[in-house]
Amino acid sequence: MSFIKNYIAQETITRRNLLLASAYGVGGAAISSMLGGMARAAITDPTVAWSYRNRTNPYWNEIVSGGEAFVESLGKPKDFLTHLINEGSSEKSLADVKALLSKTNGELALAIDTNDAPNARPVVESCVEAGAYVSTLWNKTDDLHPWDFGDNYVSHMSWSDEGPAEQTARILLDAMGGSGGVVHLGGIASNNPAIERLAGLKNALKDYPNAELLAAEPADWDTQKANQVMSAFLTRYGDDIKGVHCANDTIAYGVLEALRAEGIEDMPIVSYDGNPQAVELVGEGKILATVFTNPHWGGGITAALAYYAATGHFKPSDEPNEHREFYGPTIMVRPEDAQAFKAEYLDSVPTYDWKDFWSTSNGQIQYK
Amino acid sequence: MSNVLTRDVLIKWAPLIVLLVLVLFFTAMEPRFFSLRNFARIGISSAPALMVAIGVTFIIIMGSIDLSMEGTVSVCAVVFAFAFIALGGTLASWAWLAIPLALLVGGAIGLVNGLVHVLLKIPSFMASLAMGFVGTGFALLLTGGDRIRVEDDLFRSLLTERWFGFPIMCYVALLFLLIAWFIQSRTTLGRNFYAVGGGEELAHASGLNVNRVRIMGFALAGVFYAVGALLAVGRIGIAETATGSNFMFVSITSVVVGGTALWGGIGGVWNTLIGVLIVNVINNGMVVIGLPGYVQDGVLGILVIAAVVLSTDRKSVTFVK
């Protein structure tokens, strides 16, 4: 049970850091307001922090592991990375950032997912005012741009799921021989990735006149719900279903089990996220494709961008816009390369060059 | 005719009538709904929920409420999966011990739940809700957010092996329904649940150890949650912190829709069976007739209210809390 002990120890430290940070916040507020707004050429040894939702989700665990790998590349111990955990609260996210800014006197390199898009502006403005450097991931509003803040708002990285979801849809439709009925099981209907992944499928279907989208139902990223929705699809459409397009891996697991219950073993299925279990299933040919967004790299590089901008390794305002707002990498995992992919990315984590910021980028973020 | 169709008789059979009307309605909308294979699918989605709902039925009959099922189910599922894999990973080995272990864990959590409720004098609503959170948190601690796969073909035959068109898990659920019925109608404990729910003061004045009955009720409910957890793992082959998700809504809705009164003393496990079937028929039927996803939740809510209106005798209560 030592892992429980470790976990508790780790949580205690995180909490203690936070308390300290909050305590400093009161005292440090006066000083920071004096220094606030001062342009700093470079910070020699900034505190590196990651602010994210929680550690219970494999995705955020991967993000954090990347952040830790990055600080280790600086020759520091893992716990050099300060964790700010917002537990899904934008208010806490902003309050924690402000407390840490006060504690560090603005000598901070911050990587953050601000929990929701509107929260990105106050977070960025607080950092800029304190002279800290910040890189954001996933959430920001469309009118907020790093280049409007000089050097201190270093970068924003996000992913567009429409293109990759269209690619998996094409793989699916080809496997169906280009004809027959497809069902789509989606994420929570209002979630952006859920919308984009369904849009990707619809784009692909335009080129396959003999294929038809029978139904698209939300399965809320949930295995059990996906299982029940798929069973009901089987009742409604029976043998008309020739392929299944899943919005993510956890949905695909539920679909596979619903099919297994009916003795259906060879239904073409595609999925998204590239979780280890899904990659294994791709290797076995039970899923035809999944899309990996490399959260480990994303977590590391976001922290690295803020850090190296803070230390003056590069000057963000000299970089083109496509280096300030860009799409993260996506890797398609197919049965033929599942083994190689697993060996390269999952069995042992590759060592990344944390100064190679943009070589795997998918281009500048586009707004519709 | 008026002798047979009294108000009482109607109220008693109303849930079953609602179920039959729903089946006829969905069949009329989409004839494929009425097929053995679809009934098997409804059976598969109902089996774990039925176990959890039976557990909470005992508590509701006592006039209390238990909201710990999501946490308890997750802990039992995760403990079962860890033990199952550690002990050999197939039912043909010592790994079968993971099954009684899971039931014990479920009973233990229920027992703690009951003790917290009774000894600390915390309302069952709050005590069990808190225990549910503790359970979810503990399951998370055990798994670290990962999923544990249970791939043993023998265990998975709960889902894959069929007798007369229905998978084994449906028969397991039926067996435990009969056990629950036996407890409810043929044991002192079962009758004491009704005594406590019908009038706690009276039961107490008659010399019944009400606290003991309550604690045992919660422990018993925990065992049924554990059975639900085993069936849920059997259904998708994965144990995780999210295994318990949604069971709270489904089970309590089912109990109430089945005609067991939230104020206690009325109803029983057969009502719960009908309630679980009503909820799952609605869920399955809405997708089968092709109702758009965004209206399904709303329709489910309305149908639940309608079913409760039809199936509970509200004239006998003076006020609703």
Side-chain angles (χ1 to χ4, degrees), chain A residues 6 41 43 92 118 123 129 147-148 153 159 172 179 188 196 199 205 230 261 267 275 277-278 316 322 327 344 351:
Chain A
N6 290 340
I43 304 167
K92 186 170 186 308
V123 165
E129 199 179 311
W147 50 81
D148 292 335
Y153 185 5
W159 280 265
L172 177 73
S179 68
I188 295 171
E196 289 187 345
L205 277 165
M230 190 62 211
M267 176 80 75
N275 287 342
Q277 184 184 339
E322 75 215 44
Y327 288 123
E344 187 176 353
T351 313

Side-chain angles (χ1 to χ4, degrees), chain A residues 3-4 7 56 58 61 217 223-224 228 231-232 234-237 250 253 257 260-262 277 280, chain B residues 30 32 37-38 41 140-141 144-145 147 149 151 156 159 162 235-236 243 287-289 291 293 296:
Chain A
F3 66 99
I4 296 181
Y7 180 84
T56 61
N61 256 340
E217 285 284 340
T223 307
Q224 313 237 15
Q228 292 173 15
S231 318
L234 286 169
T235 299
R236 181 165 168 78
Y237 301 107
T250 46
Y253 307 147
E257 291 305 326
R260 182 197 279 214
E262 310 284 333
Q277 184 184 339
E280 232 167 84
Chain B
E30 171 62 66
R32 289 189 224 193
R37 290 202 80 85
N38 193 44
R41 286 166 195 147
L140 196 61
L141 208 58
R147 317 160 140 248
R149 293 164 79 185
E151 291 288 326
R156 294 308 305 285
L159 177 75
R162 290 185 184 232
R235 185 172 61 185
I236 59 170
T243 304
V287 181
V288 169
I289 65 170
L291 219 54
Q296 288 183 10

